[in-house]
Amino acid sequence: MFGDLFTGPHLIIVLVVIVLLFGATKLPALAKAAGQSARIFRTEVKGMKDDDAKTDSTAKSDASSVSASVSSDAAAGPVSESQPKP
């Protein structure tokens, strides 16, 4: 139904309407604001991915250190209670 809405003459009409609504002087400012918003969005997404990667690596290192301490405790043998209680 709307598959060919933004092709050929339709696209030209839409662009003319945009220029008439916003004016030729404000279009560069709108484009600059859109570019800055896109840049901020990309940096935030990248930061979130980096945080997830750090969290995953921290969780893996914590899990390996816990398993290493459990295995070293098991190798030490049973704990004797020969010390007197105060």
Side-chain angles (χ1 to χ4, degrees):
M1 180 173 176
F2 296 109
D4 60 346
L5 183 66
F6 294 110
T7 59
H10 296 113
L11 185 61
I12 294 171
I13 292 170
V14 169
L15 291 175
V16 168
V17 169
I18 289 173
V19 170
L20 289 175
L21 286 175
F22 294 107
T25 57
K26 293 194 180 200
L27 286 178
L30 288 172
K32 182 179 178 182
Q36 288 176 344
S37 298
R39 187 179 308 116
I40 290 169
F41 180 75
R42 274 185 275 150
T43 56
E44 291 297 322
V45 168
K46 183 179 178 187
M48 292 173 75
K49 285 181 182 178
D50 292 343
D51 288 345
D52 287 345
K54 288 178 186 177
T55 303
D56 289 343
S57 66
T58 303
K60 287 179 183 177
S61 66
D62 288 346
S64 64
S65 65
V66 168
S67 66
S69 66
V70 168
S71 64
S72 66
D73 289 344
V79 177
S80 66
E81 296 185 25
S82 61
Q83 296 177 349
K85 295 183 181 180

